[in-house]
Amino acid sequence: MSNLISDNRPDLRTEWLGLTLKSPLVVAASPISRDPDMAAAFEAAGAGAIVMHSLFEEQLVEEQMAVYRLIDSHTDMNAEATSFAPAAPGLSFDGDDYLRELTQLRQRLDIPVVASLNGTTPGGWVLYAQRIADAGASALELNLYDVATLAIESGAEVEARQIELVASVVASVSIPVNVKLTPFYASVPAFVHRLEQVGVRGVTVFNRFYEPTIDLDRLEVRRSLTSSTEAELPLRLHALAVLSTTSELSLACSGGVHGGEDAARAVLCGAHVVQLASSLMAKGPEHLHRVHTDLRAWLARKGYATSAEARSLLNLDRVPDPSAWTRMNYIRTLEGWRDGPPGRKPR
């Protein structure tokens, strides 16, 4: 692989999950993947891969149960119901629409298409993972999104259940498996190490949660999902700076990347790829092209021939002042609060 592309601009190619991507900019799981033409526009704008919107196991189960309830209600109404009520085995509610979307994307795009699965039970995860792999996905991203509501289930038990789920999927498919994590582990590096032991090829930090709010007028819980902002990026950078020193897995940054310099920060901390969704949904393919151009321009200004040369330069092991990533930095930040923002003279 040459260090420079033909016009002497920095080479953005990267390795992720064993896949060679033309760019570290990845379209994150979002409705963008539902439109093959839109996905193709993002590919032309510089996307190195696209992650499909998530297939939720609960949604499929609910659809299946709704069909069975409909059929059962007709059966109970009339002894001859079987003449007009379709037989349940003849109906397909096992993610067929999702698989068709995957096939359409593969036919339309030259970049890797990564499927996304958000499951809850070992059987469900394995079943849909196998079908997705058979349909030709380049890789599979598993979303570990547990909402712990039981006081009798410890954090260790939740983690053990998640590891079992992931291990069952990894053992059932031949394509690379990536796990999208939450930040809510007592030790993210230790959990990632356990994932690595069961055969996971990469992790994404971090999943963004659906966080309901309260409607004070109606006295009800209201669904709410806000777009990401750049304020979310530091949490990801810290995780990347640590994980890139403790793990050999492919690392992806998701959440808070809105520009080329944000992408550069993630790469400096150890990201092999950065995933974008909110800013792309708001601003379209032109924005991805701008991020692509700005990232390449930053690399050129710093004299890097490839994005790989900049990767992990500021992680926990290589940063000039390691305390910047530890509790000591927090102490120094508190001690300097009177100084105000950088550049402002203290009173």
Side-chain angles (χ1 to χ4, degrees):
M1 183 183 295
S2 62
N3 286 342
L4 296 176
I5 57 178
S6 58
D7 56 2
N8 292 324
R9 292 177 297 169
D11 187 348
L12 295 186
R13 284 178 292 181
T14 187
E15 298 291 325
W16 179 53
L17 305 175
L19 306 169
T20 300
L21 309 187
K22 67 178 184 179
S23 161
L25 305 180
V26 173
V27 178
S30 69
I32 290 173
S33 65
R34 293 183 180 274
D35 184 343
D37 291 336
M38 179 64 72
F42 280 104
E43 177 182 18
I50 185 167
V51 182
M52 295 180 66
H53 64 92
S54 292
L55 176 63
F56 285 82
E57 183 185 347
E58 296 95 331
Q59 184 177 359
L60 294 171
V61 171
E62 178 58 29
E63 291 174 351
Q64 292 166 353
M65 292 304 297
V67 171
Y68 280 113
R69 285 194 295 268
L70 176 63
I71 294 173
D72 288 345
S73 66
H74 282 302
T75 302
D76 292 339
M77 288 170 52
N78 192 305
E80 299 179 355
T82 54
S83 65
F84 63 86
L91 295 174
S92 177
F93 288 86
D94 286 327
D96 286 354
D97 288 343
Y98 190 86
L99 299 179
R100 278 192 289 271
E101 291 177 13
L102 170 58
T103 299
Q104 291 172 352
L105 287 172
R106 289 183 57 240
Q107 293 173 344
R108 189 74 171 81
L109 305 177
D110 292 325
I111 58 176
V113 177
V114 179
S116 177
L117 179 60
N118 201 317
T120 57
T121 64
W125 281 56
V126 170
L127 171 64
Y128 299 123
Q130 289 174 336
R131 299 196 69 199
I132 285 170
D134 291 342
S138 300
L140 176 62
E141 182 172 86
L142 301 181
N143 292 262
L144 291 187
Y145 185 177
D146 265 299
V147 180
T149 58
L150 298 177
I152 61 174
E153 187 177 33
S154 69
E157 290 172 320
V158 172
E159 291 187 10
R161 174 162 47 81
Q162 291 182 341
I163 293 294
E164 180 184 0
L165 289 172
V166 175
S168 65
V169 172
V170 172
S172 68
V173 299
S174 59
I175 60 176
V177 175
N178 181 70
V179 175
K180 195 169 188 178
L181 295 172
T182 79
F184 306 121
Y185 294 95
S187 173
V188 172
F191 188 74
V192 169
H193 179 65
R194 295 174 68 186
L195 291 173
E196 192 169 2
Q197 289 180 315
V198 299
V200 164
R201 298 289 297 275
V203 293
T204 298
V205 293
F206 286 115
N207 214 332
R208 300 186 68 248
F209 283 93
Y210 152 62
E211 296 177 337
T213 187
I214 300 297
D215 188 319
L216 294 177
D217 293 326
R218 296 178 178 271
L219 294 182
E220 63 184 20
V221 180
R222 190 176 71 221
R223 295 179 178 86
S224 175
L225 181 62
T226 58
S227 298
S228 76
T229 70
E230 293 176 340
E232 298 176 34
L233 185 57
L235 179 66
R236 278 80 178 163
L237 298 182
H238 185 273
L240 291 165
V242 174
L243 290 176
S244 61
T245 68
T246 61
S247 174
E248 296 297 324
L249 296 180
S250 291
L251 300 178
C253 176
S254 179
V257 176
H258 285 246
E261 293 188 352
D262 294 332
R265 292 183 178 97
V267 170
L268 285 169
C269 291
H272 294 81
V273 301
V274 295
Q275 297 186 3
L276 302 88
S278 294
S279 61
L280 302 187
M281 293 173 65
K283 302 176 182 179
E286 297 80 6
H287 181 68
L288 183 64
H289 177 69
R290 186 158 49 250
V291 175
H292 187 274
T293 300
D294 290 348
L295 174 60
R296 177 168 278 162
W298 179 85
L299 290 168
R301 286 199 306 273
K302 292 298 182 179
Y304 298 122
T306 69
S307 60
E309 289 182 6
R311 186 181 307 124
S312 300
L313 285 180
L314 295 182
N315 70 10
L316 183 60
D317 281 350
R318 301 173 69 182
V319 67
D321 179 12
S323 68
W325 293 121
T326 65
R327 281 170 51 88
M328 184 58 69
N329 190 60
Y330 183 60
I331 295 172
R332 290 173 178 170
T333 300
L334 292 178
E335 289 175 345
W337 71 272
R338 291 183 182 277
D339 297 339
R344 194 183 79 181
K345 295 182 179 180
R347 295 179 179 179

